[in-house]
């Protein structure tokens, strides 16, 4: 278990942008500098965070997502058949989605998004015609020893990220795709192509960032979906299938994990709350991934009870150390929580020893 990712200590991948890089990006938006100027600062910042991860002893290596403005950058904006819409009417966004609800409350009338249409592509189908993260991976690869390449983690957004805000009726043109399965099948082909190329370059560790699953833990959203006549259990099944289409057929030595979070926008604002109990049985046991990165750093994540449904042969990474405030957790408290989680898991189905649970 310890010879391959994930290790005993891991991090989800995103790190704070240095002030100089932040300011340079603002200058680029004002056309006061060039892309090369920004890239040079990105390169230096990534060298720094790679060195930092080594110094503190974390084996997993990421570039901190320092080349991205948002965690979902470089996926949908690089797909053929997907059109960027800078000012789509708010009426096409589902108000029961937690972060969309914030937009409605703020009186926002339109927002930028992506939509699958035939305007920008021959026949309108989704296609991956260029890489998303190959250049980023290879730059980080150039900074580490050959034996450490397997420790580099690439993060990417879930295929459901834009679908969940628009639903099955506003995510794609019905002249292009007749239903969600067709839409996610083509997205899956694109994801698998990216994953295959990353693997060929030496990547062995991929994390899919998916806030959507935690939305299904939110009772307020569930109530809103039921009021709107949306079958939330069927939609959860759709999103599980969407990821499974992306991960199917992967090499046995490639670890893919899913990070489920409730939001940490602009220094701690969260969009969703509720424990994993509502989704645990279905998600833990039918999602075809190796690792679950589970947020457990605030009370809004609930207790460890859902871990009793955690299957054998998979890994749970407990997010116990928070980024939402500067106070460090005590080592004793962290150890106590890990043992508490292992005790719950050991008493679950299937039953296992506490030692086996700890190793998961």
């Amino acid at each position: 278990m310890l010879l391959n990712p994930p290790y005993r200590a891991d991090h989800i991948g995103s790190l704070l942008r240095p002030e100089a890089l932040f300011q340079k990006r603002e200058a680029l938006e004002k056309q006061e500098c060039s892309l090369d100027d920004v890239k040079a600062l990105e390169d230096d910042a990534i060298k720094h965070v790679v060195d930092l991860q080594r110094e503190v002893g974390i084996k997993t290596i990421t570039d901190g997502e320092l080349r991205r403005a948002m965690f979902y950058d470089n996926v949908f904006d690089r797909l053929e058949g997907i059109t960027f819409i800078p000012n789509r009417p708010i009426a096409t966004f589902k108000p029961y989605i937690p972060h969309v609800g914030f937009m409605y409350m703020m009186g926002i009338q339109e927002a930028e998004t992506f939509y699958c249409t035939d305007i920008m592509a021959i026949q309108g189908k989704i296609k991956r015609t260029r890489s998303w993260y190959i250049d980023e991976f290879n730059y980080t690869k150039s900074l580490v020893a050959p034996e450490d390449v397997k420790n580099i983690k690439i993060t990417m957004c879930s295929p459901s990220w834009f679908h969940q805000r628009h639903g099955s009726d506003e995510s794609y043109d019905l002249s292009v795709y007749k239903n969600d399965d067709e839409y996610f099948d083509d997205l899956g082909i694109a994801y698998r192509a990216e994953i295959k190329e990353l693997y060929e370059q030496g990547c062995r560790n991929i994390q899919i960032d998916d806030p959507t699953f935690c939305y299904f833990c939110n009772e307020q959203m569930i109530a809103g979906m039921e009021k709107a006549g949306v079958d939330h259990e069927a939609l959860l099944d759709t999103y599980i299938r969407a990821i499974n289409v992306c991960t199917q057929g992967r090499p046995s030595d490639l670890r893919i994990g899913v990070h489920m979070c409730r939001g940490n926008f602009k220094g701690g604002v969260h969009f969703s709350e509720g424990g994993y109990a509502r989704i645990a049985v279905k998600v833990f046991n039918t999602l075809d991934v190796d690792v679950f990165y589970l947020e457990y750093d605030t009370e809004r994540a609930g207790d460890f009870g859902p871990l009793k449904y955690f299957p054998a042969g998979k890994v749970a990474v407990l997010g116990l150390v928070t980024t939402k405030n500067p106070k460090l957790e005590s080592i004793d408290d962290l150890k106590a929580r890990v043992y508490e989680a292992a005790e719950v898991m050991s008493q679950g189905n299937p039953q296992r020893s506490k030692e086996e649970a700890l190793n998961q």
Side-chain angles (χ1 to χ4, degrees), residues 184-205:
F184 283 118
D185 281 347
D186 274 2
L187 265 179
I189 291 171
Y191 271 78
R192 292 200 303 273
E194 177 71 14
I195 290 169
K196 180 177 183 292
E197 190 170 349
L198 282 167
Y199 182 85
E200 290 170 349
Q201 295 298 316
C203 181
R204 297 294 183 270
N205 192 6

Side-chain angles (χ1 to χ4, degrees), residues 198-214:
L198 282 167
Y199 182 85
E200 290 170 349
Q201 295 298 316
C203 181
R204 297 294 183 270
N205 192 6
I206 292 174
Q207 174 184 301
I208 298 173
D209 289 314
D210 192 311
T212 306
F213 286 127
C214 284

Side-chain angles (χ1 to χ4, degrees), residues 209-222:
D209 289 314
D210 192 311
T212 306
F213 286 127
C214 284
Y215 285 176
F216 285 91
C217 302
N218 187 312
E219 294 296 337
Q220 187 174 345
M221 187 186 90
I222 297 301

Side-chain angles (χ1 to χ4, degrees), residues 87-95 100 103-104 107-111:
N87 51 359
R88 196 172 188 199
I90 193 67
T92 65
F93 293 70
K94 303 304 182 184
V100 174
M103 294 162 61
Y104 273 85
I108 294 173
Q109 297 300 308
E110 56 188 26

Side-chain angles (χ1 to χ4, degrees), residues 138-330:
N138 283 331
Y139 179 71
T140 307
K141 179 179 173 180
S142 74
L143 302 177
V144 305
E147 61 269 22
D148 290 332
V149 171
K150 73 179 191 308
N151 300 332
I152 299 172
K153 179 164 67 176
I154 290 292
T155 64
M156 59 182 69
C157 72
S158 170
S160 67
W161 176 240
F162 286 98
H163 185 284
Q164 47 88 14
R165 66 181 65 183
H166 297 297
S168 303
D169 54 332
E170 297 281 4
S171 293
Y172 46 83
D173 191 320
L174 289 174
S175 68
V176 180
Y177 293 113
K178 294 183 179 66
N179 53 53
D180 288 344
D181 282 354
E182 289 186 3
Y183 170 77
F184 283 118
D185 281 347
D186 274 2
L187 265 179
I189 291 171
Y191 271 78
R192 292 200 303 273
E194 177 71 14
I195 290 169
K196 180 177 183 292
E197 190 170 349
L198 282 167
Y199 182 85
E200 290 170 349
Q201 295 298 316
C203 181
R204 297 294 183 270
N205 192 6
I206 292 174
Q207 174 184 301
I208 298 173
D209 289 314
D210 192 311
T212 306
F213 286 127
C214 284
Y215 285 176
F216 285 91
C217 302
N218 187 312
E219 294 296 337
Q220 187 174 345
M221 187 186 90
I222 297 301
M225 296 178 83
E226 290 177 346
K227 184 178 180 180
V230 177
D231 186 338
H232 50 83
E233 287 296 335
L235 191 60
L236 178 59
D237 290 339
T238 293
Y239 290 161
I240 290 172
R241 178 186 179 276
I243 288 181
N244 290 350
V245 170
C246 298
T247 62
Q248 69 183 28
R250 65 188 181 279
S252 60
D253 61 338
L254 172 62
R255 283 194 173 266
I256 296 184
V258 164
H259 166 224
M260 298 190 286
C261 70
R262 292 163 180 80
N264 188 19
F265 184 65
K266 292 190 180 298
V269 176
H270 69 278
F271 296 117
S272 186
E273 56 187 44
Y276 298 102
R278 175 177 283 281
I279 66 170
V281 174
K282 185 176 287 186
V283 171
F284 289 162
N285 290 279
T286 64
L287 196 62
D288 184 19
V289 295
D290 309 294
V291 185
F292 290 87
Y293 296 89
L294 303 174
E295 181 184 274
Y296 269 115
D297 62 332
T298 65
E299 291 183 357
R300 67 175 186 258
D303 59 26
F304 292 128
L307 292 178
K308 65 186 177 183
Y309 303 114
F310 203 80
K314 296 193 177 185
V315 177
V317 179
L318 306 179
L320 303 177
V321 178
T322 191
T323 61
K324 299 172 182 65
N325 68 66
K327 183 180 178 180
L328 287 177
E329 295 79 1
S330 77

Side-chain angles (χ1 to χ4, degrees), residues 3 14 32 68 97 111 139 155 187 227:
L3 297 178
S14 182
E32 296 173 355
R68 309 182 203 178
I97 297 297
Y139 179 71
T155 64
L187 265 179
K227 184 178 180 180

